[in-house]
Amino acid sequence: MNSTDDNTEPTTEPAESTEPTEPTEPTEPTGDTLGGDRPDPSTSASKDPSDWVTGDEPMTGPQRSYLDTLAHEAGETLSADLTKAEASEQIDRLQQETGRGQA
């Protein structure tokens, strides 16, 4: 007679549900929001880049990378020493030209 005496009980994993999940209804955002029809004019996100407090600082790494991509697609060469504000304006212009970043 073969028997094991390890005092363990067999375990069973619960089966995964195969029922489709219903989509959740979007909830009304609270607090600051992004991506709406019109950003709140009191936030810096909707200010003209020339009015930015840090607009005269050198462009950020992500701005530089995205501008490099956009300029390449548009067949343009841009100065690499743009300010944050200048980079933002060039990004807006090149997005219009290339169709990138359009919803």
Side-chain angles (χ1 to χ4, degrees), residues 2-74:
N2 266 347
S3 69
T4 59
D5 192 24
D6 58 21
N7 294 327
T8 59
E9 295 196 20
T11 59
T12 58
E13 301 273 330
E16 288 187 32
S17 173
T18 57
E19 294 180 30
T21 58
E22 293 188 28
T24 58
E25 291 293 320
T27 58
E28 195 63 32
T30 58
D32 290 341
T33 60
L34 298 174
D37 291 335
R38 290 189 171 159
D40 181 353
S42 66
T43 67
S44 61
S46 60
K47 289 183 181 177
D48 185 285
S50 62
D51 294 335
W52 291 355
V53 173
T54 61
D56 59 345
E57 293 178 1
M59 73 175 130
T60 65
Q63 281 180 313
R64 182 184 179 109
S65 175
Y66 190 42
L67 265 177
D68 183 48
T69 299
L70 289 171
H72 180 76
E73 285 185 9

